[in-house]
Amino acid sequence: MNETICAVATKVGGAIAVIRISGPESISITDKVFRGTKNRKLADAKAYTVNYGHIIDKTEEEIDDVLVTVFRAPHSYTGEDSIEISCHGSEYIVKCIIQILIDAGCHQAEPGEYTRRAYLNGKMDLSQAEAVADLIASTNRATHKLALSQLKGHFSSELSVLRNQLLKITSLLELELDFSDHEELEFADRSELKALAQKIDERISTLAHSFVTGNAIKQGIPVAIIGKTNVGKSTLLNRLLHEDKAIVSDIHGTTRDVIEDTTQINGITFRFIDTAGIRQTDDTIEQLGIQRSYQKLEEATIVLWLLDSQPSAEEINDMNTRCQGKRVIVVQNKIDKGEQPLNIASSSLEPSASKEAPTLPLQATIIRLSAKLGTGINELCKALYKAADIPEISENSVIVTSARHYEALTCAQTSIQRVIEGMDSELPGDLIAEDLRICLDELGEITGGQITPQETLNNIFKHFCVGK
Amino acid sequence: MNETICAVATKVGGAIAVIRISGPESISITDKVFRGTKNRKLADAKAYTVNYGHIIDKTEEEIDDVLVTVFRAPHSYTGEDSIEISCHGSEYIVKCIIQILIDAGCHQAEPGEYTRRAYLNGKMDLSQAEAVADLIASTNRATHKLALSQLKGHFSSELSVLRNQLLKITSLLELELDFSDHEELEFADRSELKALAQKIDERISTLAHSFVTGNAIKQGIPVAIIGKTNVGKSTLLNRLLHEDKAIVSDIHGTTRDVIEDTTQINGITFRFIDTAGIRQTDDTIEQLGIQRSYQKLEEATIVLWLLDSQPSAEEINDMNTRCQGKRVIVVQNKIDKGEQPLNIASSSLEPSASKEAPTLPLQATIIRLSAKLGTGINELCKALYKAADIPEISENSVIVTSARHYEALTCAQTSIQRVIEGMDSELPGDLIAEDLRICLDELGEITGGQITPQETLNNIFKHFCVGK
């Protein structure tokens, strides 16, 4: 923390790039290599001012025209004195300036080192620090809203409420212990304490359970498109991918770092799993491909079963077996060719299906469309969004998105349940207090504190990009 | 120019991104979507200050925490009121903010529109504007120095000197014309004017000629590695490419947007042209490949002829024919295997070669090395740099790097030479003055002015990135 660090904070290669410096010597080191207008020193510049000048190398040769912003501790992102140098976006120039700064006394920043310092300087707690990385990685409305909510501390406040309630129970129990020989003193009703513990248990359970949603939002909802060959899988996929309308028609200079086959529906990412066409075949290689299609189906939450004609009862039965626990959308493609509506008894959704329809328990929505013409694609998108079953997400939503948090919550839940059991079996107060402490510690791990081990911090920050 | 424009100025995907807004309504538009600490308005912020707050969408929902820098006309890059928004580097967030700005009244900026405005507002001339694009694209010391020198106006000053000299001749000639009936008046000596015109011609010629160097520096110097199969071409290429030591060991988050096979030697780019191995073969496909190798050799300025044993006189003769006008470096590879030095009479460089050596006029440097062990690679790099024949480049070097400038200089030279011829053949002053005007206009086109046609401007700025 005594070191002054530097790193490029933007991607390099645009019109401009920003280099960020943080630490006690930020200003004095930059002053060594910066020549401002009228020889003004950054040391004399006010905080939050932008200063024009140029960066020079050891031979006093000019490297670039720059704008330098000065931040003074504690009013900066890291809480330390900080500098931001805005230079031309050439990789060569950025390299030169970083090298000049290192020669002048800076250290190259590690991934996430700025945010780590912000955390260590008390500018944010650990879950907020993690939200910074999530915010930068956010690719749609849902991931963005969740990260922003976490960064704003909504999750932290929830945890703080829980911790205060736990502390209340603990202190009452401890009071009881301290004065256990003064039988005349009245203590809190055990059943009241138990009710509070149960409330805490419920809330922790809800939070832990929200990880299913949070994880689906973060990773994207896996959808397998499955069907026979030539049924129109690729055409449908292309249609769905083109639903991803860019907000601005054309932003040059942006790099799209996404997996090919994802689309956004109502701000949620759907991740399409490509599968080989399914058909009866003697070709060994093709059989392997079909086998793999069925395996990939396993990973999916939602299955799009694409058909262009009435499937046999056997096929429906087969799909029914394979799709247990999954949400199935049966898609009848090529309706432009005038095929009759499929005759599949989808228990709830097609009550009007004829009596001769295979009476299989397949729980499915049926969508009729033409992938070629685009007819019915909107209905499919709606069905996909409905099948994803994602709750409405607002700025204030508290949904757990981190496996680390989920793990801590699960452990905290085990402890609080032991507390409840302990109360039920009238265990001595000091044993119950022990479990309460564990629960408190587990919740405390999420937001971090003095006791957070280095290893945990290393694990968290190594996934950040350099410059953040 | 009355429109307020916005675009992302950095590449997107790093820790932070910067969005730039310029135009008369920059500040008022941003105030609509920005909520500063204590409700402070940007309209009340001083120029060159950084203001913390957040961007909100139409529903007043927060999109991101940002830092907003305020610039006021004419003290900004474009010369207009400008705003820079520093936000988190997520592509989704950047898209949202750009969309919010457009909804609030901004227009998406065209490529190079900021620099175009800077030019139109008299912040820089046209050659300086072009230097901005070159600076951003610079990948090594040489391209960087040339772009910076041009941006600083060294080329513009040279042109300004030339234009003043031309104007001096013109005005003297015009004075002569105005007073042509007052024979008693003394005018400048024609021979003196001619001497001045010749000086101008020489300087223009030097500038035009520097384009050979400037272009080589900008495009990279094409080097063909040619030789039989299995002679070690790939090993040598790998060695050479790994000479490209990054200045900083590891800058994460930078994208290298370079052609695969280039390396930097003393700050100059060498572009290696891959060629198929050459050998006698009956395979038609392979013959085609070899044919292509010889064709690619045509593009090269420097030829590395890689050998692992003594070539036949016929082979030397063949190479000699193919390499006319090129600089050849004969590289004897695999010296770790104890092969004897090659016996090739390279007229100047190997005077000690034995008398039996093929006495061919091949002008070549001979380098002995082991690509496998790395022995001799430094010597090869030195030989490559020497063969490139690039003059030392300083901050003040004036070397033409743009085909547009080269063309204008060539036309200017034609005119000034007509001026000299006119003087020689004692043409009337008004005809000579006409050529002088053409020469002036041609030089004027380089730096631009009121009369620069829209088409020229469009051509120049369309190659810029958006956001600059």
Side-chain angles (χ1 to χ4, degrees):
Chain A
M1 294 275 281
N2 287 327
E3 285 179 355
T4 296
I5 50 173
C6 70
V8 56
T10 61
K11 269 220 168 176
V12 175
I16 63 169
V18 176
I19 292 164
R20 188 183 265 175
I21 306 161
S22 186
E25 289 184 82
S26 298
I27 297 169
S28 60
I29 288 176
T30 312
D31 258 338
K32 285 192 225 168
V33 303
F34 173 75
R35 294 293 170 268
T37 324
K38 295 182 195 161
N39 259 318
R40 277 192 213 118
K41 287 284 161 196
L42 298 171
D44 304 324
K46 281 190 194 161
Y48 301 123
T49 58
V50 173
N51 304 269
Y52 175 76
H54 51 264
I55 299 291
I56 49 150
D57 68 10
K58 270 183 249 176
T59 65
E60 295 276 327
E61 255 195 62
E62 201 174 320
I63 296 302
D64 199 11
D65 284 358
V66 295
L67 287 173
V68 176
T69 310
V70 177
F71 301 88
R72 289 180 189 278
H75 305 295
S76 71
Y77 180 72
T78 54
E80 305 171 327
D81 279 358
S82 297
I83 290 283
E84 282 183 7
I85 300 176
S86 173
C87 62
H88 285 95
S90 138
E91 188 187 343
Y92 174 79
I93 290 175
V94 169
K95 271 186 178 176
C96 283
I97 296 178
I98 294 276
Q99 186 63 60
I100 287 168
L101 289 169
I102 289 173
D103 291 345
C106 281
H107 291 77
Q108 167 79 46
E110 302 284 321
E113 198 167 353
Y114 296 92
T115 307
R116 186 177 191 144
R117 287 183 178 205
Y119 162 67
L120 293 173
N121 288 324
K123 303 291 281 189
M124 54 179 74
D125 70 31
L126 208 47
S127 81
Q128 289 175 305
E130 287 168 295
V132 171
D134 287 349
L135 192 61
I136 293 169
S138 68
T139 55
N140 57 33
R141 195 173 53 77
T143 47
H144 169 245
K145 284 266 173 288
L146 290 185
L148 201 59
S149 162
Q150 192 173 317
L151 180 61
K152 294 284 154 197
H154 295 129
F155 185 33
S156 310
S157 320
E158 283 257 10
L159 292 171
S160 168
V161 169
L162 289 175
R163 281 165 61 88
N164 285 336
Q165 292 171 338
L166 285 166
L167 282 170
K168 192 182 160 196
I169 306 181
T170 311
S171 61
L172 286 171
L173 279 176
E174 278 171 357
L175 200 67
E176 209 180 67
L177 288 172
D178 287 351
F179 295 87
S180 52
D181 33 353
H182 299 63
E183 275 166 31
E184 69 278 18
L185 278 176
E186 273 183 24
F187 295 109
D189 189 353
R190 276 273 169 125
S191 66
E192 228 171 78
L193 289 187
K194 192 184 151 191
L196 188 53
Q198 277 168 333
K199 223 179 102 189
I200 294 169
D201 178 31
E202 269 166 41
R203 189 59 198 142
I204 293 178
S205 165
T206 306
L207 286 173
H209 189 69
S210 75
F211 181 60
V212 178
T213 303
N215 200 46
I217 290 173
K218 206 166 167 180
Q219 312 294 337
I221 292 155
V223 181
I225 304 187
I226 206 153
K228 291 189 184 172
T229 45
N230 289 328
V231 83
K233 291 211 304 296
S234 299
T235 315
L236 180 63
L237 196 55
N238 280 338
R239 275 279 168 202
L240 286 167
L241 300 183
H242 287 110
E243 284 299 304
D244 185 6
K245 290 179 197 83
I247 296 182
V248 178
S249 53
D250 192 13
I251 300 188
H252 295 257
T254 61
T255 357
R256 295 177 55 90
D257 203 19
V258 294
I259 309 148
E260 266 288 288
D261 292 355
T262 64
T263 196
Q264 313 287 328
I265 300 172
N266 282 359
I268 302 285
T269 300
F270 289 81
R271 198 156 44 80
F272 292 101
I273 301 171
D274 213 10
T275 64
I278 291 169
R279 61 168 183 172
Q280 295 299 338
T281 176
D282 292 332
D283 186 307
T284 321
I285 304 283
E286 198 173 345
Q287 277 175 347
L288 281 174
I290 292 166
Q291 206 47 51
R292 212 170 298 128
S293 295
Y294 283 128
Q295 276 165 17
K296 283 188 173 170
L297 196 141
E298 289 295 306
E299 299 165 24
T301 311
I302 301 174
V303 176
L304 286 195
W305 185 18
L306 196 57
L307 296 163
D308 59 359
S309 56
Q310 179 66 34
S312 67
E314 189 195 351
E315 282 170 327
I316 296 178
N317 210 11
D318 179 46
M319 200 52 85
N320 208 23
T321 316
R322 293 187 187 277
C323 293
Q324 263 170 18
K326 299 185 190 301
R327 286 153 246 163
V328 179
I329 300 174
V330 176
V331 178
Q332 179 180 7
N333 193 13
K334 305 189 186 176
I335 55 165
D336 50 312
K337 292 201 173 162
E339 276 275 346
Q340 284 303 303
L342 298 182
N343 195 13
I344 300 179
S346 169
S347 37
S348 56
L349 289 144
E350 294 273 303
S352 63
S354 88
K355 299 227 163 153
E356 299 95 73
T359 51
L360 293 161
L362 190 68
Q363 284 273 357
T365 312
I366 298 181
I367 302 286
R368 303 183 72 229
L369 55 77
S370 161
K372 196 174 148 199
L373 302 180
T375 331
I377 294 292
N378 273 346
E379 284 65 33
L380 178 57
C381 287
K382 280 180 204 158
L384 275 168
Y385 186 74
K386 200 180 157 207
D389 195 26
I390 299 288
E392 190 52 41
I393 291 153
S394 83
E395 230 175 327
N396 305 317
S397 299
V398 175
I399 291 176
V400 173
T401 55
S402 147
R404 188 181 79 82
H405 301 172
Y406 173 69
E407 208 177 306
L409 287 166
T410 312
C411 293
Q413 205 183 359
T414 310
S415 309
I416 195 72
Q417 283 168 355
R418 269 207 308 271
V419 168
I420 296 166
E421 284 162 25
M423 286 173 170
D424 283 340
S425 47
E426 288 175 23
L427 273 193
D430 50 352
L431 289 182
I432 295 176
E434 181 59 29
D435 279 327
L436 281 167
R437 290 246 156 257
I438 295 173
C439 187
L440 266 168
D441 288 349
E442 289 294 346
L443 295 183
E445 262 189 26
I446 296 174
T447 47
Q450 293 307 327
I451 48 125
T452 310
Q454 282 300 315
E455 203 191 322
T456 309
L457 294 184
N458 292 345
N459 271 332
I460 289 172
F461 290 106
K462 78 180 176 195
H463 298 297
F464 275 62
C465 51
V466 170
K468 195 66 207 182
Chain B
M1 293 275 282
N2 288 327
E3 285 180 356
T4 296
I5 51 172
C6 71
V8 55
T10 61
K11 270 220 165 174
V12 175
I16 63 170
V18 176
I19 292 164
R20 188 183 265 175
I21 305 161
S22 186
E25 290 184 81
S26 299
I27 296 168
S28 61
I29 289 176
T30 313
D31 258 338
K32 285 192 225 167
V33 302
F34 173 75
R35 294 293 169 267
T37 323
K38 295 179 195 162
N39 260 320
R40 275 191 213 120
K41 288 283 160 198
L42 298 171
D44 304 324
K46 282 190 192 160
Y48 301 124
T49 58
V50 173
N51 304 269
Y52 175 76
H54 51 263
I55 298 290
I56 48 151
D57 68 10
K58 270 183 249 176
T59 64
E60 295 274 327
E61 255 196 62
E62 200 175 320
I63 296 302
D64 199 11
D65 284 357
V66 295
L67 287 173
V68 176
T69 310
V70 177
F71 300 89
R72 289 180 188 277
H75 304 294
S76 71
Y77 179 72
T78 53
E80 306 171 327
D81 278 358
S82 297
I83 289 283
E84 282 183 8
I85 300 176
S86 172
C87 63
H88 285 97
S90 139
E91 188 186 343
Y92 174 78
I93 290 175
V94 168
K95 270 185 179 176
C96 284
I97 296 178
I98 294 275
Q99 186 63 60
I100 287 169
L101 289 170
I102 288 173
D103 291 344
C106 281
H107 291 76
Q108 168 78 48
E110 302 283 322
E113 197 167 353
Y114 296 92
T115 307
R116 187 178 190 142
R117 289 183 176 204
Y119 162 66
L120 293 173
N121 288 323
K123 303 290 282 189
M124 53 178 73
D125 70 32
L126 207 47
S127 80
Q128 288 174 305
E130 287 168 295
V132 171
D134 286 349
L135 192 61
I136 293 169
S138 68
T139 54
N140 57 34
R141 195 173 52 79
T143 46
H144 168 245
K145 284 264 173 290
L146 291 185
L148 201 60
S149 163
Q150 193 173 316
L151 181 61
K152 293 283 152 193
H154 294 130
F155 185 32
S156 310
S157 321
E158 283 258 10
L159 293 171
S160 168
V161 168
L162 288 175
R163 282 166 60 89
N164 285 337
Q165 291 171 340
L166 285 165
L167 283 171
K168 193 182 159 193
I169 305 181
T170 311
S171 60
L172 286 171
L173 279 176
E174 278 171 356
L175 200 67
E176 210 180 66
L177 288 171
D178 288 351
F179 296 86
S180 53
D181 34 353
H182 299 62
E183 276 169 31
E184 71 276 19
L185 278 176
E186 272 184 26
F187 295 108
D189 190 352
R190 276 272 170 123
S191 67
E192 228 173 78
L193 289 187
K194 192 185 151 190
L196 188 52
Q198 277 169 332
K199 223 179 104 189
I200 294 170
D201 178 31
E202 269 167 43
R203 188 58 198 144
I204 293 179
S205 164
T206 306
L207 285 173
H209 189 70
S210 75
F211 181 59
V212 177
T213 303
N215 199 46
I217 289 174
K218 207 166 167 181
Q219 312 293 339
I221 293 152
V223 181
I225 304 185
I226 208 155
K228 292 188 184 172
T229 46
N230 289 328
V231 83
K233 291 211 302 295
S234 299
T235 315
L236 180 63
L237 196 56
N238 279 338
R239 275 281 168 202
L240 286 168
L241 300 183
H242 286 109
E243 284 300 303
D244 185 6
K245 288 178 198 84
I247 296 182
V248 177
S249 52
D250 193 13
I251 301 189
H252 296 255
T254 62
T255 358
R256 294 177 56 90
D257 202 18
V258 293
I259 309 148
E260 267 286 287
D261 292 355
T262 64
T263 196
Q264 313 287 329
I265 300 171
N266 281 0
I268 302 284
T269 300
F270 289 80
R271 198 156 44 82
F272 292 101
I273 301 171
D274 213 11
T275 64
I278 291 169
R279 60 167 182 171
Q280 294 299 337
T281 176
D282 292 332
D283 185 307
T284 320
I285 305 281
E286 197 172 346
Q287 277 175 347
L288 281 174
I290 292 166
Q291 206 48 50
R292 211 171 299 128
S293 295
Y294 283 128
Q295 276 164 16
K296 282 188 173 170
L297 196 142
E298 290 296 305
E299 299 164 23
T301 311
I302 301 174
V303 177
L304 287 195
W305 185 18
L306 196 57
L307 296 163
D308 60 358
S309 56
Q310 179 66 34
S312 67
E314 189 194 353
E315 283 171 326
I316 296 178
N317 210 9
D318 180 46
M319 199 52 84
N320 208 24
T321 316
R322 294 187 187 277
C323 293
Q324 263 168 19
K326 299 186 189 301
R327 286 153 245 164
V328 179
I329 301 174
V330 177
V331 178
Q332 179 180 8
N333 193 14
K334 307 190 185 175
I335 56 163
D336 50 311
K337 292 199 173 164
E339 276 276 347
Q340 285 303 302
L342 298 181
N343 196 13
I344 300 179
S346 169
S347 38
S348 56
L349 288 144
E350 293 273 303
S352 63
S354 88
K355 299 223 162 152
E356 298 96 74
T359 50
L360 293 160
L362 191 68
Q363 283 274 358
T365 311
I366 298 181
I367 302 286
R368 304 183 72 230
L369 55 76
S370 161
K372 195 172 149 202
L373 303 180
T375 332
I377 295 292
N378 273 346
E379 283 66 33
L380 176 57
C381 288
K382 280 181 203 156
L384 275 167
Y385 186 75
K386 201 180 157 207
D389 196 25
I390 299 288
E392 189 52 42
I393 292 154
S394 84
E395 230 176 327
N396 306 317
S397 299
V398 176
I399 291 175
V400 173
T401 56
S402 148
R404 189 180 78 82
H405 301 172
Y406 173 69
E407 209 177 305
L409 286 166
T410 312
C411 293
Q413 205 183 0
T414 310
S415 309
I416 194 72
Q417 282 168 356
R418 269 207 308 272
V419 168
I420 296 167
E421 283 162 25
M423 286 173 170
D424 282 342
S425 48
E426 286 174 26
L427 273 193
D430 49 353
L431 290 181
I432 295 176
E434 181 58 30
D435 280 327
L436 280 168
R437 289 247 157 257
I438 295 173
C439 187
L440 266 168
D441 287 349
E442 288 294 346
L443 294 184
E445 263 190 25
I446 296 174
T447 47
Q450 294 306 329
I451 48 126
T452 309
Q454 283 299 317
E455 203 192 323
T456 309
L457 294 184
N458 291 346
N459 271 332
I460 290 172
F461 290 105
K462 77 180 177 196
H463 298 298
F464 275 62
C465 50
V466 170
K468 194 67 208 183

